[in-house]
Amino acid sequence: MATLSRTSGKILRKVQFLPIFSRNYSSVKCNKFNKYVWNTCACAIGGGILLYAANVKNRGIVYALKAKQPEELMKAVKLTSRERRFIKFASVEYGGQLYMTPQDFLESVVEQEPRPRLKRRVLTTKEIEQLRDQVPPLKKGSSQMFRSMRDRGIISYTEYLFLLSILTKPASGFEIAFNMFDTDGNQRVDKNEFLVMEKIFSYAWKGKRGMNLEGAEEGKGPQENYINDDQGLQRRHNVDTLLQVHFFGKKGTNDLKFEGFRQFMENLQTEVLELEFHEFAKGHETISEVDFAKILLRYTYLDTDEYDMYLDRLLDRVKDERGITFEEFKTFCQFLNNLEDFTIAMRMYTLADHPISKEEFQRAVRVCTGQEHSPRLVATVFAIFDADGDGRLSYKEFIAIMKDRLHRGFKSYAKNEGWDAFKSCVKQEMKSAV
């Protein structure tokens, strides 16, 4: 009994899948009765482990040393934050592929959790056809299209990544985005050129998981290069989505021109900002300065004390609340889409360790965006981020928090995912086509 107990104790301390129990067992200070109880438990557990090991040995199989097959390694791959969020909010499924609805997408960028639902809805082919018939043409697009469509449309994972990238693009980047799709340079994008995006993100998905890319042969369409993954993100599918029908018509024969593409991007940015603004406005034309601060801080990684410190600082400094209008809020968010240019403009001040005044801040905003913030908005920003109250902006804190706000909680951007990957992959596609 004592020998088995000692052996069991050693096993418990060495076995990696019971670290908490083994730590507790080895550090217990107790009386004789408690020791007896612990020894008995250890004996039972250790004996069970030894019997199981003996049973396995008799069957000639050592599971702990069994090498994982490539398929098992694929299943064990850690999902990215975007993949997890898409899976979490996607409410419909067709042919094993997960899809978001327009409402799912909006919720995914402004809410922490999806709306309650019993289970994911599995669509039929007839329902897919009905959804396609309800998508408005590009010329009837608006800044309320996603809200009015609600669940009448589907968005694939690759399109979700594309839509996320739109939300952080400055107006100056719209034409660049369009030209990345326009692979033949004729100032028009057809459906096949748009589908290159899905092929590119499929490549990125494979490469990120160390998969062999030789299957992505030239001449193959996007569908042939998809993977039947367990998550339902990259399964082979051939179905018209909301964006495909909206951009190229129900027959898929329309061409997308830059003006229509630019308007779509502006509408989507405005719609998300309106949704976020009205959440705090509660039917009023303005939001309070404190609500404005809460919107800026909601996607940050601040702990509770730091978060409260910013709000308390604002409350102490703003005595007469006048509120922030939607136009002021929208202008500020458009400025955040130019945050990289603003950082460059401010670099001379930061290199000289020079704090930024309101006038210098306004001038940098004007240079980067061609717009100016209202004095009231600038005063609110400084009230939040002016650490010592000397009328100067705490630049490093401001930039760090605004980057979190801009990317809505996706703090790290993998090199093989997102907009940079999209641009580099399109360039490679264009080279290979020459």
Side-chain angles (χ1 to χ4, degrees):
M1 175 77 174
T3 302
L4 183 56
S5 175
R6 285 194 298 273
T7 304
S8 303
K10 291 179 180 178
I11 291 174
L12 288 172
R13 285 190 288 273
K14 290 183 179 180
V15 173
Q16 294 181 359
F17 54 80
L18 287 173
I20 297 174
F21 187 88
S22 63
R23 284 199 303 271
N24 290 341
Y25 178 77
S26 62
S27 60
V28 168
K29 295 181 180 179
C30 50
N31 56 32
K32 290 183 179 181
F33 176 75
N34 286 337
K35 284 183 178 179
Y36 174 77
V37 173
W38 274 100
N39 287 338
T40 303
C41 293
C43 180
I45 296 173
I49 293 173
L50 292 174
L51 288 173
Y52 177 78
N55 185 39
V56 169
K57 184 177 179 181
N58 290 336
R59 284 156 47 186
I61 302 173
V62 183
Y63 285 106
L65 301 178
K66 185 181 178 182
K68 287 189 176 183
Q69 299 300 316
E71 310 87 62
E72 293 175 316
L73 290 174
M74 275 289 298
K75 294 176 182 178
V77 169
K78 184 178 179 180
L79 296 173
T80 67
S81 56
R82 291 172 185 77
E83 290 169 341
R84 291 195 303 272
R85 195 156 185 82
F86 181 87
I87 292 171
K88 186 177 184 178
F89 281 83
S91 65
V92 296
E93 176 183 339
Y94 176 72
Q97 173 91 19
L98 302 186
Y99 294 95
M100 278 184 171
T101 65
Q103 183 170 343
D104 291 338
F105 174 75
L106 293 178
E107 289 177 355
S108 74
V109 295
V110 299
E111 301 290 347
Q112 189 66 29
E113 298 291 333
R115 66 188 187 279
R117 59 173 181 261
L118 294 176
K119 61 180 180 179
R120 191 172 284 119
R121 186 162 63 107
V122 179
L123 299 174
T124 65
T125 302
K126 183 177 180 180
E127 287 175 319
I128 289 290
E129 293 174 354
Q130 291 173 343
L131 292 178
R132 182 185 59 194
D133 293 337
Q134 297 181 67
V135 177
L138 189 62
K139 61 183 180 181
K140 292 188 178 181
S142 71
S143 61
Q144 296 190 3
M145 185 181 79
F146 276 60
R147 282 172 287 183
S148 61
M149 290 288 295
R150 295 183 63 82
D151 291 330
R152 300 191 301 275
I154 55 174
I155 299 168
S156 69
Y157 173 65
T158 51
E159 291 170 338
Y160 166 71
L161 295 180
F162 165 64
L163 293 175
L164 282 182
S165 73
I166 286 179
L167 297 180
T168 60
K169 290 290 156 283
S172 60
F174 290 176
E175 190 168 1
I176 296 174
F178 180 81
N179 290 335
M180 297 307 294
F181 285 110
D182 184 17
T183 54
D184 59 8
N186 67 350
Q187 301 303 306
R188 296 169 181 266
V189 173
D190 60 31
K191 186 176 179 179
N192 288 331
E193 287 176 313
F194 181 76
L195 289 176
V196 168
M197 175 187 66
E198 296 193 345
K199 183 176 175 183
I200 288 167
F201 280 118
S202 177
Y203 288 171
W205 196 91
K206 291 179 181 179
K208 186 165 50 185
R209 287 155 175 78
M211 296 179 65
N212 188 354
L213 299 181
E214 293 179 0
E217 300 173 3
E218 294 184 11
K220 281 190 175 183
Q223 310 307 330
E224 287 77 8
N225 287 311
Y226 267 40
I227 313 104
N228 280 326
D229 67 304
D230 284 348
Q231 292 78 26
L233 297 175
Q234 297 285 339
R235 288 185 175 274
R236 293 182 177 89
H237 68 114
N238 188 13
V239 59
D240 289 332
T241 61
L242 167 69
L243 292 187
Q244 292 176 28
V245 178
H246 185 60
F247 287 158
F248 309 106
K250 295 175 183 178
K251 295 182 179 179
T253 56
N254 296 348
D255 286 337
L256 177 63
K257 298 179 182 178
F258 172 68
E259 182 55 34
F261 183 73
R262 181 196 63 77
Q263 191 61 56
F264 171 80
M265 295 182 79
E266 284 189 357
N267 286 340
L268 181 62
Q269 287 186 354
T270 300
E271 182 160 13
V272 171
L273 294 178
E274 284 179 350
L275 190 65
E276 200 165 26
F277 182 86
H278 292 315
E279 176 188 347
F280 286 85
K282 308 295 185 184
H284 299 288
E285 294 184 357
T286 62
I287 58 175
S288 69
E289 285 80 359
V290 173
D291 285 339
F292 175 71
K294 288 179 179 178
I295 293 177
L296 296 188
L297 300 175
R298 73 189 306 187
Y299 298 107
T300 60
Y301 295 83
L302 300 171
D303 60 35
T304 303
D305 291 339
E306 290 175 313
Y307 180 87
D308 291 341
M309 177 193 69
Y310 282 105
L311 296 185
D312 290 342
R313 183 190 295 168
L314 177 63
L315 288 170
D316 290 341
R317 295 173 180 175
V318 176
K319 302 303 181 184
D320 55 332
E321 291 192 7
R322 300 178 187 174
I324 305 295
T325 67
F326 176 71
E327 286 305 315
E328 289 175 318
F329 174 68
K330 181 180 178 181
T331 300
F332 185 81
C333 291
Q334 289 173 338
F335 150 70
L336 292 185
N337 287 348
N338 291 271
L339 198 59
E340 290 184 12
D341 292 337
F342 176 80
T343 303
I344 295 172
M346 290 287 94
R347 187 166 295 166
M348 68 172 106
Y349 296 107
T350 56
L351 288 176
D353 198 23
H354 178 77
I356 303 167
S357 68
K358 293 178 182 178
E359 293 74 20
E360 290 162 343
F361 179 83
Q362 277 281 43
R363 185 163 65 252
V365 171
R366 185 168 57 250
V367 168
C368 296
T369 66
Q371 299 176 310
E372 284 193 13
H373 296 323
S374 69
R376 183 65 182 175
L377 182 64
V378 174
T380 302
V381 170
F382 272 66
I384 299 170
F385 295 101
D386 177 6
D388 54 11
D390 64 351
R392 304 280 178 167
L393 189 68
S394 300
Y395 172 80
K396 290 183 179 179
E397 287 185 64
F398 173 75
I399 291 296
I401 289 178
M402 290 306 96
K403 283 183 178 179
D404 287 342
R405 156 66 200 180
L406 176 64
H407 299 308
R408 297 176 179 272
F410 296 120
K411 190 170 186 178
S412 60
Y413 274 70
K415 292 181 180 179
N416 56 356
E417 181 180 25
W419 187 249
D420 291 336
F422 176 72
K423 290 191 291 186
S424 62
C425 288
V426 169
K427 289 178 182 177
Q428 292 176 8
E429 282 291 311
M430 293 173 68
K431 287 180 181 178
S432 63
V434 175

